[in-house]
Amino acid sequence: MQNFYHRSIKGVLSENPAILGLTASPVINNGYRGLENLEQNLNAISSTPKLHREMMLQFVHQPNLLRLLYPPNTFETHVPEALIYLRAVYAGLDIEKDPYVIKLKEASSSTKTSSSLNDVLLNRKTYCQTQIKGFLCKAEQVQLELGSWATGFFIRACLENFGKAIAEETSSNFDALDAAEKSYIRSAFAGFQIPACNGQALNDDSQISSKVKILVDFLETKMSANFSGLVFVQTRAAVAVLAHLISHHPRTRNAFCVGTFVGASSNLTRRSTIGELVNTKNQTRTLEELHLGQRNLVITTSALEEGIDIAACNNVVCFEKPPNLKSFIQRRGRARNSESTYAIMFEEGSGSDTLSSWHDLEYEMRRAYMDDMRRLKEIRDLEGQEEGGREFRIESTGALLTLDGAVPHLYHFCATLTQTQYTDARPIFTFSKSTLVGDIDSVTARVLLPSSVHKDVQEACSSSSWRTEKSAKKDAAFEAYIALYRVGLVNEHLLPIKFDPEADEARSVIEKRPNVAEVPPQLDVWSSLVAYKWQGQPEVYESLVSITFEGVALSEMLMILPLALPNLIEFDLHWNATKSFRVVITSVRSAPYNQECVSLYAECTAVLLRSIYKARMESDDTDFACLFIPQNIKEIRLWLEKAGESSPARNLLDTNISQSQVGLIYDLQNNRTRHIFHGVEPMPHDAQQDLVNGACVGNGPCLKVTKLPKRTDFPHKVSPKHDGTDKDNEIKYLYLSPSRCEVDNLPFEFSRFAMLVPSIMHQIELYVAADSCRNSLLSSIQFDDLNLLITATTTPVAAEQSNYQRLEFLGDSILKLFTSLTVMAEHLNWPEGYLSGKKDHTVSNGRLASAAIKLGLAPYIRTISFTGHRWRPLHISDLMNNQIKKFREMSTKTLADIVEALIGASYIDGGPGKVLNCLGVFLPEISWGPLSQQTMKIYETYDANLQYPPNFAQLERLVNHTFTAKILLVEALTHPSHHGPTISGSYQRLEFLGDSILDSIIVTTAYSHQPPIPTLALHLIRTALVNASFLAFICLTHSVPTTRSDPVSDHYGNFSTVEITNSLQIWRFMRHAAPEIRQAQQSSVARYNSLREEIKNALRLGQHYPWALLCRLEAPKFFSDLIESLIGAIYIDTHGSIVACESFLEHIGVMRFLRRVINEDVALLHPKEEVGHLADIEKVKYVVKTEAMEEEEKRGRLICEVWVGERMVVKVEDGFSKTEVETRAAEEAVRVLKAENREMAGKMKNVTQMQVEATTGEEMEPGKKYVGIKRQRKT
């Protein structure tokens, strides 16, 4: 500085820097003269910052300075055996056998080599000699400072570590030693028997130094629940040994959880030494545990004096006096809690001058502090004089903002923003000071809001200059709050939107919805539409009802109704377990009402229905709501006359009539039981027969029949055991005597049709109701597929062949995507928290249920199941007399689900266009628009000309997408903690959108799979693919290779470079400003490296989803947020291309795993849910406790017990978090409960077999049914 900088100052000052930034204080001595020299050398003035000073002075806590005196040590008479042995080892080293000396001797005899050999023999400076000598020196220092017990532990522990490292040939320790050097050092200690490091107990103070005793006394007096402290020592050896001593001393071991922290050197030439005990790998976790209160005392070197953010402590001890003024001040700054103690240890009879200097320094600081307090009073008086009456008023509401209220209002606004880990949502104020004319100071303020606030209003400045910081701060807050109001983030009440009184009132009405709502009854098509239309002699509509079996026509009937049916109605009816009929109804024609024709049709309908339902037809009324006549009968009256009679069954023996022309067989001697005719033939010997009088005997002709099914619920499939067949699905034939039977003259095809009439009318009711809804309430949607509408409005309790659940699963995801994009496009400057609140309010069950009720959808929702039991022919007169029906109660969740199902149905029926129509029907107050239009509105807010940082080019290769708007990629990787230039916001808005896009891709892909996946499995798939732990693992795993050059040195200190190829992951590009994030990333990567292969194998080949392993990963949420924000960024950059998003998901492996869980049998159910299923009705309880372990690395781990009922099923240990340990415990409980169930099933089988043998006297045959043997109920 003197030779160059100062010589150039004169005349050329403008070319030299005006500000010098230093990372640490350059003062290294205790004299004030040093500070003056520094100022002269740097051509600068050293001054205390004044900005924020008055606020700081109110919260500064000066610690109490305490002197700890200890007597001199006299330990030479108590030298431990290990130290005596170590001295002997060093004294007995043979320099001639040192590997380096041997190497020099073997080298070519040159002058340089001979000189080096002579020097080494003279000064004994070889690596091995230096190692052992350094080890001895450290041991002597430990003996002097800490005592004999500590010395013995130090020597034993170091030799034990050295022995393990040599035996295991680890590369991380002593890698600078070659084989000969390792052998030489090992042989030097070959005669020393190393006992266990904890073999010697520390029972009293006689084994420790007086200095340590004074420290223990001090710590004992400070014991409390909120104790937190640091002990500064001089050497790394003292750190490890003193921590071990305090952890084992009888007076401190139960009160202090001790950790260590030393400097981590980045010197590539640094070699491991025998006297190194501190493990630096877990030091970051030590500071985290101190912050969380899991540790309360840390032994450290000067490494923690500065540069590392640690939790404030209330006790700081200097085991040796601070070496200089800088250390004294910086160590004292660590004791910044209120009523803290700063203790310095001195040996009796020494250090009095130094102590006086500390007292003088303390006096000067106290005097300066008192001066500052007086200055603070002057500042407050000045603030009261200069503040004016600025205010901002909203005339419509009377809301008022003043300077005094601006700062609290701004803090309140920031508090309503989304609070995330590692971020501080409070506004940041900075101040600039200048001097005006007359030496009057002028202050202006600048406020920076959290990065989740839109960049246009993220920053504000005071409108004018002020005399004090407080006034300038109020002005800046005032300007910032007005800016928030003008962009719509503050409402007319000058409150954040999230606390809008009107919105809150509306939201409370919806969200505090009752569980059920009173809604109109289910629409009865026959009474509300059909019967009503018959009253006015309407135009009649004929439809052809065709019934086929495997393509063969069975029946064709004309159906007459007073209203038009949809053009084509198709459905299946199930006669039994193996035979299903296809029913097709097509419109034929319409004609004016003709009473004569209608009466004839009614007579035909009566004949048909009486063949099956005569007992239920109480009168001869023929005013049927639905009329049927045969299609191919020309002479209807002749057919009527013949069809209404019956004849003796013996006539079947004399005629060659076809089976299809024979009617039902009535067994006259068995209450006219009805049977289906199958032919005339002699009864086989092994056939079943009726044993009452008149049964078939001998070889005479019999009527081969089957009983007419009692089933009436033909729309539903039936299992074989309920359809009249045996276990092999064979028909059970009966053989009846013709003399005891009559035969109906109405051919069986018509009776069979009559049996199907209730089911056919039920299906017609479904289609007519859906068609009515389609043409009225939902006319603007323009549904094409009526079956989708039927499915969407059918609840599970209606027990139809399909219900809304799968469509609701799809619609929920579609609604979430459309709403997220619409809200984001409509509110371009809203933070993510506001967007999430608006979206949740829009898609809430309460709002959707209210929309369904308001629209009048409830009557079209089917909740009544059809069984056909007690069905009676529907008469118009009866239907008209039963028009008044009571309201019914319906779950509001069901109403909301129906709306989502209709959204899903509209998506299947016509894509995004019909979804928009559907959303407009139910939520017309929202400005819905095409997705491409909404996406473009968002895209246009980004400056496509802005470029990303240079290293982001690798990121584009990593995500497999080249961005048009580069700023989107920057925003997608910007954590909310980042406070850099406001060219972009944080990733939260993009993550909000990406979350819905990811959900939509997973849901639509799984939904479209054929054969269809059941609803429960769909939910499990979505949960497995979109959960944060899985996405975090993907973020940690997906990488591209990158190469760099690193310097390395050889054994002799010569440097060279090597090319190193590493993996580059997405998370490494994340921009943030929180030191805790870097620590969290490092901890997560460490856990990831230990679990990576196990999780990969489970995802690639495992039969169970690795829930517990992913929980054990404990990855912070920002890992998964990055994946979702990148999806949102790609979607916006491609103007709404789902294909581009799917390509990204394919690239990182998400789609590949999705295909696996869809196509393979992977168990996805969460273990805790599976435990609930296995526990049945018993209560499951998880009890989590903290593990009490002596091992330091396991201290604070968790234990989880799983209780089912009154018994503990399983207990697992070594848990990292509550979620992880509960999940792992649930997995173990599943294994235990399944094993118990298998064992119970085996016991029940054995019990049943013994009961059979005891009852029948024969061995139990596999597959054979045994009646009358009760199974014991499982307890």
Side-chain angles (χ1 to χ4, degrees), residues 801-820:
Q801 289 298 304
S802 62
N803 58 60
Y804 68 70
Q805 289 180 319
R806 291 186 82 251
L807 284 174
E808 180 270 332
F809 173 78
L810 175 64
D812 173 77
S813 180
I814 299 298
L815 174 61
K816 179 180 176 183
L817 172 60
F818 274 72
T819 304
S820 297

Side-chain angles (χ1 to χ4, degrees), residues 101-121:
V101 173
I102 295 174
K103 185 175 181 179
L104 290 177
K105 287 181 178 181
E106 293 175 351
S108 58
S109 56
S110 63
T111 305
K112 183 177 181 179
T113 303
S114 299
S115 177
S116 298
L117 178 60
N118 292 333
D119 291 341
V120 168
L121 293 175

Side-chain angles (χ1 to χ4, degrees), residues 568-689:
L568 180 64
I569 298 175
E570 295 182 273
F571 52 88
D572 290 328
L573 297 179
H574 307 282
W575 184 256
N576 54 38
T578 59
K579 183 181 293 187
S580 296
F581 301 147
R582 185 65 174 171
V583 181
V584 179
I585 302 176
T586 55
S587 298
V588 177
R589 66 187 180 90
S590 63
Y593 182 84
N594 185 299
Q595 182 61 49
E596 183 179 355
C597 291
V598 170
S599 299
L600 183 62
Y601 298 159
E603 290 183 39
C604 292
T605 304
V607 170
L608 285 170
L609 297 180
R610 286 195 185 102
S611 67
I612 299 298
Y613 306 105
K614 185 176 181 179
R616 301 181 188 176
M617 299 172 70
E618 299 175 353
S619 66
D620 293 332
D621 293 339
T622 59
D623 59 337
F624 300 110
C626 185
L627 306 177
F628 298 95
I629 61 171
Q631 161 69 1
N632 298 320
I633 303 298
K634 296 181 179 179
E635 297 292 336
I636 296 296
R637 294 198 178 276
L638 182 61
W639 179 82
L640 285 173
E641 293 176 1
K642 184 178 179 181
E645 301 176 355
S646 60
S647 58
R650 60 177 175 270
N651 294 341
L652 296 175
L653 304 178
D654 303 330
T655 60
N656 192 18
I657 189 171
S658 66
Q659 181 179 332
S660 62
Q661 296 301 314
V662 178
L664 290 174
I665 304 297
Y666 297 98
D667 187 351
L668 301 178
Q669 297 184 11
N670 193 13
N671 297 321
R672 295 183 65 84
T673 303
R674 293 172 292 190
H675 298 78
I676 303 173
F677 177 74
H678 291 280
V680 178
E681 62 181 55
M683 180 182 67
H685 295 292
D686 58 347
Q688 297 185 33
Q689 59 175 315

Side-chain angles (χ1 to χ4, degrees), residues 824-843:
M824 191 172 177
E826 287 297 313
H827 306 283
L828 296 171
N829 53 17
W830 274 18
E832 179 272 335
Y834 284 18
L835 296 177
S836 295
K838 181 69 172 178
K839 182 207 70 177
D840 293 342
H841 173 61
T842 302
V843 304

